[in-house]
Structure formats: C-alpha cells, structure tokens
Amino acid sequence: FSLGHNSRKRVLLIIAVVAPPLSILLCFICSVVWMRRRRQGKANLNDQAATNRPEKDELVWRLEEKSSEFTLFDFSEILHATHNFSKENLLGQGGFGPVYKGQLPDGMQIAVKRLASHSGQGFTEFKNEVELIAKLQHNNLVKLLGCCIQGEEKLLVYEYLPNKSLDFFIFERNRTAFIDWNNRRAIIEGIAQGLLYLHKHSRLRIIHRDLKASNILLDKDMNPKISDFGLAKIFSSNDIQGSTKRVVGTYGYMSPEYASEGIYSIKSDVFSFGVLLLEILSGKRNSGFYQYGDFLNLLGYSWQLWEGGTWVELLDASIVKEICTSDARRYINIALTCVQESADDRPTMSDVVAMLNSESVILPEPNHPGYFNLRVSKTHEFFVPCSNNDVTITEEPDGR
C-alpha cells in the first residue's frame, strides 16, 4: 500500500513540475497559430481590397511611390487656392472642363483644370496625361505640377502661364497687334522644337494627337508651351505607326489617314503643325465659320493662292508690312508641305526644324493638301467619306 502511495505521490510531483511549463508552451503555440491565422486573414483581405480597389487609388499609390517631383494636392488646398472655383478665377472653358487660376500659400500661381464629369476626357485620359507629362521636361512643354483626385473630382495642376493660349491672340482682331511677326516666328519655332522633342529626343516617343491653337499656352515672354496630353500616344522606338477604332481629336487639325482610317503616326502631328502654321500666318481658323474664295477651309484657300502665285494675300494684315517676301513664301511653303494628303509626302519634325532654321535648305514643292476641297459645316458634325470609325470630335469655339 505504501509503495502505491509513494508512486502516486511521485506521479503527482512530476505532473506538478511539468504541467505549468507545458501549459505555457501550449498557450504560446496556440497564440502563434492564432496570430498567424489573423495575419493571413488580414493579408487576404488586403489582397482582396487591392483587387477591388478603384483604378484612381492605384494611380495615387503609383505616383506617391515613384515621383518625387510630382505633388498630390488635397482638394481643400485647391479649393482655397482658387477661392472655391470662383468666377473671378476662371481662365477659360475647354472641351474637358473649366480652367481656374489659383495661388498656393507660398505665393506660387497655378492653373487648375477641373475635369467635368460629363466631359469627353474620362479617367483613362486623365491617367494618361498625369503619367505621361510628368515624365516630360522641355521648355516648350507645359509643366504639370501635380493632380488631385477626390471622389468624382479630377483636377490637373499646371504652372500658370499669364498670356493664356495662342488662339486668344491670333483669331481676335483686337488682339493681333499684340503678336507681331517676331513673336509669331518665335512661337512657330518653339512649337516645332517641342514636337521634335516629343517625336525624337524625349525618353518616350510621343504622338500628341491634338495639337491646335488652344493647346499652345504662352508664358509671360510669349514663349509657347504645348499642353493637354490627354489624347497622346506612346510609341516604342521600333513603331512607325499605330491604329485605333476610336478616333479622337479636333476637326480641322486631324490628318486624313487618321480621321478616315484611324491610322496615326508622327506624320499626324506634322499635319496638325502645318495647319497651325497656316493659322498663325493668316490669323484665320482652318475650319469654323469662315469662307475663303471658292473654298470652305483655310487649306484649300492657301493652296489656291499658292498655285496662283498670290500667296501674300494669305498673310494676316497686321504682319504684312513686317515680314519680308522671301520669308513669307518660305513659311507658307513649309506649311503646305506639312499638310500634304499623303503622310509619306510630309516631312518629319527634324526636317521642319531644319527648314525653319536655315534659309539654305532647299524646300520641296508641295502637292495639294488634304481636305483642300472639303466642305466643313458650322455644326458639330464632321463627315469623312468611307470612315467606319467611332469618331469623337471636339469643335473649336469661335473665339474666346
């Protein structure tokens, strides 16, 4: 009996010694397992949230992680800077929404493009512009300082350029005196340099696809800066051209192959540049509410004058006495070379810059331009024969 009693005492003693640390060990193991499961659950929830996270949040995260030169503004900061988007701060109304002047607490002036929820520029174009232009640096490209995304609000924050856009001067009779031939020549050369950078010298090969007078902004010294990259396309170094079923842009500036077939290339921008050059020289819009002789657009009118040897009549009255005849002929020749109907016949921007900078460069004789006999109505419709594309067109306003 005593032996059995001693054995039980020994067992109880062992249990008393072993049980506490064993309990602690079991509790520790359970805690570790529980914590791992909890962390795994959180990870799964985070993964699921990431999968379902809105595209705009992903854009914000990407910009926060990769860009040190780009600012993500708070909406309250923009409200304060623009005085709650007051009418007094309104700079203009574009196709994608109004643009407001603002001032940050440090005194820096900004221009804020507030994209309208009903505008043609959706989040895809917004993201395209933010991610693309933030990587581009050139004196003739507008500088994008940052953006703001909150709820349905999509805001782009640019450097403020006090002289508004090019169309503000060249299409208004009472303002053409403020932009003489020297100004216009510098603007033409600056735009050409900006496009050359996009096509050849930037880290990315960019086709703008919406080059027009209202997208050329002017700084305090009247230096031009190309803006609005919402429709721009990135090309690899091996690509020559691309195509799309959704044609977007502004009629009067789109190349024939792009408008009718959705084919775009650097030559598409060259065509737009040629149109813009003719507009700067003449002070007239290519399309809209004007009639030129037997033609209903500026390209046809210019071609008629060129063939008839009366191209001087094309020039804006405010610069006729300032520009020498040889310069006038050379610039009109370059413009008509850029707007030829076939993309293969158009020069590259490298060629254009060489033509502009050197009088010794022999200029090719142009063929007839694209659209030279196209009727452009006053309506918002733009008809291109044989086009099967879903065409989205922006009509330029008749002055601003």
Side-chain angles (χ1 to χ4, degrees):
F1 173 79
S2 61
L3 181 60
H5 178 71
N6 290 335
S7 296
R8 284 197 297 272
K9 286 180 65 178
R10 193 178 296 113
V11 171
L12 291 173
L13 180 63
I14 293 172
I15 292 173
V17 172
V18 174
L22 184 61
S23 299
I24 293 173
L25 179 61
L26 289 173
C27 289
F28 176 75
I29 292 172
C30 290
S31 298
V32 169
V33 171
W34 181 78
M35 288 296 291
R36 284 184 177 177
R37 288 182 177 178
R38 187 164 181 252
R39 288 174 183 170
Q40 185 63 41
K42 281 188 174 181
N44 291 338
L45 286 174
N46 288 337
D47 290 342
Q48 184 178 2
T51 301
N52 298 327
R53 196 167 280 122
E55 193 177 359
K56 60 187 176 184
D57 290 342
E58 293 178 5
L59 173 62
V60 170
W61 288 353
R62 191 153 54 247
L63 290 170
E64 285 178 332
E65 290 174 359
K66 296 184 179 180
S67 179
S68 59
E69 301 177 355
F70 193 87
T71 302
L72 292 167
F73 292 90
D74 290 331
F75 186 65
S76 58
E77 194 175 1
I78 301 300
L79 277 178
H80 180 74
T82 59
H83 297 159
N84 294 328
F85 300 110
S86 66
K87 290 184 178 179
E88 291 75 17
N89 284 51
L90 183 65
L91 293 174
Q93 181 75 38
F96 294 140
V99 179
Y100 296 87
K101 180 181 179 181
Q103 183 169 317
L104 299 176
D106 62 1
M108 182 178 185
Q109 293 184 320
I110 57 175
V112 180
K113 180 161 73 171
R114 187 183 192 186
L115 301 182
S117 58
H118 61 275
S119 75
Q121 184 167 11
F123 188 77
T124 299
E125 288 83 1
F126 174 81
K127 183 179 71 170
N128 188 57
E129 180 156 9
V130 168
E131 293 186 318
L132 190 153
I133 197 174
K135 301 175 184 177
L136 302 176
Q137 296 292 331
H138 190 273
N139 289 336
N140 296 116
L141 303 182
V142 70
K143 187 176 182 180
L144 183 65
L145 303 176
C147 70
C148 173
I149 310 171
Q150 179 171 312
E152 295 301 315
E153 292 283 358
K154 300 188 294 290
L155 309 171
L156 292 168
V157 182
Y158 299 94
E159 61 177 325
Y160 173 68
L161 300 174
N163 282 320
K164 300 187 178 182
S165 55
L166 180 59
D167 62 333
F168 181 77
F169 290 94
I170 62 174
F171 298 137
E172 295 294 326
R173 293 298 92 194
N174 60 335
R175 299 191 188 109
T176 53
F178 295 102
I179 183 168
D180 60 17
W181 170 239
N182 287 331
N183 288 139
R184 296 189 195 212
R185 180 170 55 191
I187 288 169
I188 291 165
E189 292 174 357
I191 297 169
Q193 290 290 347
L195 275 181
L196 177 60
Y197 170 79
L198 293 176
H199 291 178
K200 188 173 181 180
H201 298 310
S202 68
R203 288 178 290 175
L204 307 168
R205 179 182 289 183
I206 308 298
I207 299 174
H208 189 278
R209 293 206 305 169
D210 200 22
L211 187 72
K212 57 186 177 181
S214 60
N215 281 342
I216 305 299
L217 304 184
L218 302 170
D219 68 11
K220 60 182 179 62
D221 298 316
M222 299 297 282
N223 295 312
K225 293 178 182 284
I226 300 172
S227 70
D228 203 335
F229 287 77
L231 304 181
K233 285 287 186 180
I234 301 174
F235 262 31
S236 73
S237 57
N238 297 322
D239 288 336
I240 298 176
Q241 68 180 31
S243 62
T244 180
K245 292 183 179 179
R246 180 173 176 258
V247 175
V248 289
T250 305
Y251 72 45
Y253 293 94
M254 289 193 298
S255 63
E257 71 276 5
Y258 179 53
S260 62
E261 302 174 65
I263 297 173
Y264 57 86
S265 67
I266 57 173
K267 297 296 185 73
S268 307
D269 282 350
V270 171
F271 184 92
S272 302
F273 175 80
V275 174
L276 187 53
L277 178 48
L278 288 174
E279 291 182 332
I280 294 172
L281 293 169
S282 67
K284 299 178 175 67
R285 295 184 188 275
N286 179 38
S287 56
F289 309 99
Y290 303 98
Q291 291 191 5
Y292 310 107
D294 297 329
F295 295 90
L296 296 180
N297 66 62
L298 182 59
L299 301 189
Y301 178 59
S302 301
W303 177 248
Q304 183 186 52
L305 295 177
W306 178 263
E307 282 202 305
T310 56
W311 35 266
V312 173
E313 296 178 20
L314 178 68
L315 300 176
D316 190 340
S318 65
I319 65 171
V320 168
K321 295 181 180 180
E322 301 175 3
I323 184 173
C324 67
T325 304
S326 60
D327 276 351
R329 188 183 194 284
R330 187 160 61 91
Y331 276 79
I332 294 171
N333 191 341
I334 293 171
L336 289 173
T337 302
C338 290
V339 296
Q340 291 180 104
E341 190 163 20
S342 172
D344 293 336
D345 292 337
R346 297 172 212 147
T348 64
M349 287 312 301
S350 296
D351 298 328
V352 171
V353 169
M355 294 176 191
L356 292 172
N357 291 340
S358 176
E359 295 182 9
S360 63
V361 175
I362 299 175
L363 303 183
E365 190 67 24
N367 298 315
H368 71 74
Y371 305 135
F372 77 102
N373 60 354
L374 178 70
R375 176 182 294 272
V376 181
S377 71
K378 297 181 182 181
T379 69
H380 291 266
E381 296 178 356
F382 178 62
F383 176 71
V384 182
C386 303
S387 174
N388 295 318
N389 292 306
D390 176 17
V391 183
T392 302
I393 304 297
T394 301
E395 182 179 18
E396 281 289 275
D398 185 24
R400 284 211 272 178

